[in-house]
Amino acid sequence: MSECLKDAMGRTIDYLRISVTDRCNLRCVYCMPEDPDRPPVFLPEEALLTAGEWLIFAKAAAMAGIRKIRLTGGEPLMRQDLAELVWGMASLPQMEQVVMTTNAVGLAQRIGALKNAGLAGVNVSLDSLERECYRRIAGRDRMAEALDGVRACLELGLPVKINCVPVRGLNDSQWIPLAELAVKWPVQVRFIEMMPIGEGKAFPPVENSRIRQLLERNFGPVTEVSPGKRQGPARVFRVPGFAGSIGFISAVSCGCCSSCNRIRATADGKIKLCLHHPVNGDARERIRTGKSPEELCGWLRALVRDKPKDGAFTDEKRPMWKIGG
Ligand code: SAM
Ligand code: SF4
């Protein structure tokens, strides 16, 4: 069972994003804001898949055709068994890449073990390089730890992307300094348009075309790089004199549904075939009733056929930290 995993439209699905937890140690204003009147309600511990359960699912997904897994959340570093998860997933014979999206708080101390376990790359969310501005957006004063995490990844030679969500009126002054990280570091600094999901609905998106104009005014004309095999929805640009590159993700207007190759699993093992649509299936229930990886593989193959043609944010009611960003 190693052929491609295809949906009814003929799209090859080889990329799985797994939210390994809904917990987080930050309180970003557009995701899980600090609000004493409305504290986040997390899943009970027993609802989260254990490492063993995720590894059964990952085995089935790899048999079905998944070749890349991204661990996300919530904050994946909240799981103490993260290296075990990475190791188990990266060891699957069909798996080409296991990567992670993280806020990088506490990453410096753990990246060695994660790399040894097989982690192939890290996307770090960093919305500011100015301490107070970071604290206002992330709700916690932990920018220095996040930057330590980035440095530690670079020292180990891991590919790093820095994700910034531009928030009008909050981090406008930081877009150029963040882009400048790619002058000396071989990182891709990516600007992600705010999506109208959960708390993000309260923040009007800053169009990426505006950021691009700003960058071109500061650094000169940028040149688009032709899309790589796993570039996904990002458009990537080279800037003269930069060691790294700049990327733009315009999920609101990307027009990239026809080439979408991804599905998602939430922390309680629900499968989402599209970011914009509600849950489509329950892997946890199947794992906990003893289904074998072969049975799960067959189920996933049938489920994926129903991947929606496209989406427009209207149907998904849950916040990003519950879906897995
Ligand atoms: N905690 C990890 C982190 O922050 O990288 C992983 C989970 S977080 C939900 C993943 C990404 O989603 C982050 O880069 C975050 O900035 C982004 N994000 C959260 N809410 C968003 C929204 N409404 N629109 C666009 N991106 C969002
Ligand atoms: Fe946590 Fe990431 Fe959401 Fe920020 S964006 S609150 S770090 S899950």
Side-chain angles (χ1 to χ4, degrees), residues 24 30-31 72-76 101-103 123 125 127 163 165 192-195 197 200 320-321 324-325:
C24 189
Y30 52 78
C31 182
T72 179
E75 174 46 48
T101 298
T102 172
N103 61 34
N123 288 10
S125 303
D127 292 331
N163 289 345
V165 178
I192 303 179
E193 260 176 27
M194 183 76 71
M195 295 181 228
I197 288 188
M320 202 65 127
W321 58 271

Side-chain angles (χ1 to χ4, degrees), residues 214-266:
L214 180 72
L215 297 186
E216 292 204 305
R217 269 206 305 277
N218 273 268
F219 305 117
V222 299
T223 318
E224 186 154 8
V225 177
S226 55
K229 185 183 172 203
R230 297 206 184 277
Q231 191 165 296
R235 289 181 68 191
V236 180
F237 294 83
R238 294 249 159 256
V239 188
F242 276 42
S245 58
I246 301 292
F248 293 104
I249 300 183
S250 313
V252 181
S253 57
C254 78
C256 47
C257 299
S258 63
S259 58
C260 183
N261 66 340
R262 58 188 65 189
I263 57 172
R264 294 164 190 267
T266 61

